[in-house]
Amino acid sequence: MRIVIAGGHGQIALRLERLLAGRGDEVAGIIRRPEQAGDLLAAGAEPVVCDLESASVEDVARHLEDADAAVFAAGAGPGSGAGRKDSVDRGAAALFADAAEAAGVRRFLVISSMGADREPPEDTDPVFAAYLRAKGAADADVRARAGLYWTILRPGRLTNEPGTGRVTLADATGRGEVSRDDVAAVLAELLGQPATAGRTLELIGGDVPVPEAVRNVAAH
């Protein structure tokens, strides 16, 4: 497969790139800053410099030509304000989906967040609340697109602990932690399971091996 990842320098994206390249897939990562290219090359990915906050649909669609799948892993990141949560976590997601449709790429994965489907509690940090609202709006936008075989993945609290290769993956899991290693492993498996299209899935650490967890979801 050829897979294009938006937010190619993110912590989960770099892990995913290494996994995909290691199994023989062709992978490209969209990055904003040219100085990030070396990290992608080291992960086995082709770096593509393109600013999703200023690019046109046509610009991004050119990078998606001949791709078999697209993964939205971009985010405004720590230290960014509410405005960039909207422009990246919502706006760039919609742009990337528009570009995928324009390029004829049907398989579309999104890394979202638990809590994105509901209004944040009143005592939520304002910037984090803006992030959750942006993610929720992005998810709603993607779900409305009949032209995409989308799957939305909502991990629990992310950690940098080594992956266990065992998870809980379901429509609803309850709160919990999950390592970025295991999130990347689940994404890699989801790419090969188009039967998970149209699903919004929550992910936390658990006892089920990743390939089995994804197969179980695909079968129900």
Side-chain angles (χ1 to χ4, degrees):
M1 296 177 72
R2 174 172 171 79
I3 299 137
V4 178
I5 302 173
H9 194 257
Q11 294 188 68
I12 292 171
L14 286 168
R15 288 167 166 83
L16 178 59
E17 286 154 6
R18 283 191 288 270
L19 288 176
L20 296 177
R23 74 182 190 187
D25 290 323
E26 183 183 339
V27 58
I30 295 177
I31 53 177
R32 191 163 55 92
R33 300 201 300 271
E35 61 268 25
Q36 297 171 334
D39 290 335
L40 271 74
L41 290 169
E46 170 198 347
V48 176
V49 180
C50 177
D51 186 346
L52 295 177
E53 288 181 273
S54 60
S56 68
V57 172
E58 294 74 20
D59 290 336
V60 181
R62 279 194 291 272
H63 299 309
L64 283 161
E65 287 176 3
D66 301 322
D68 299 294
V71 180
F72 186 78
S80 56
R84 289 204 68 227
K85 302 300 184 193
D86 183 71
S87 64
V88 178
D89 292 279
R90 183 201 57 77
L95 173 74
F96 197 55
D98 286 341
E101 288 183 324
V105 179
R106 304 295 295 275
R107 191 72 175 111
F108 194 87
L109 302 189
V110 178
I111 304 175
S112 183
S113 174
M114 281 193 187
D117 260 347
R118 52 188 178 272
E119 180 62 17
E122 287 185 10
D123 59 351
T124 304
D125 171 79
V127 174
F128 187 64
Y131 165 77
L132 291 174
R133 292 187 187 107
K135 281 294 190 188
D139 293 353
D141 175 90
V142 169
R143 285 169 171 157
R145 295 174 186 261
L148 296 178
Y149 299 143
W150 54 264
T151 303
I152 295 169
L153 184 65
R154 291 179 165 169
R157 194 177 75 80
L158 297 169
T159 77
N160 286 325
E161 296 298 316
T164 66
R166 293 176 175 271
V167 297
T168 299
L169 180 69
D171 295 327
T173 62
R175 296 280 175 176
E177 294 184 345
V178 63
S179 74
R180 289 178 171 88
D181 286 350
D182 287 334
V183 177
V186 168
L187 289 165
E189 287 292 326
L190 287 171
L191 283 165
Q193 281 284 4
T196 60
R199 301 286 294 276
T200 301
L201 301 169
E202 293 186 350
L203 173 67
I204 57 174
D207 299 321
V208 182
V210 166
E212 183 182 341
V214 173
R215 284 196 303 271
N216 290 345
V217 165
H220 294 92

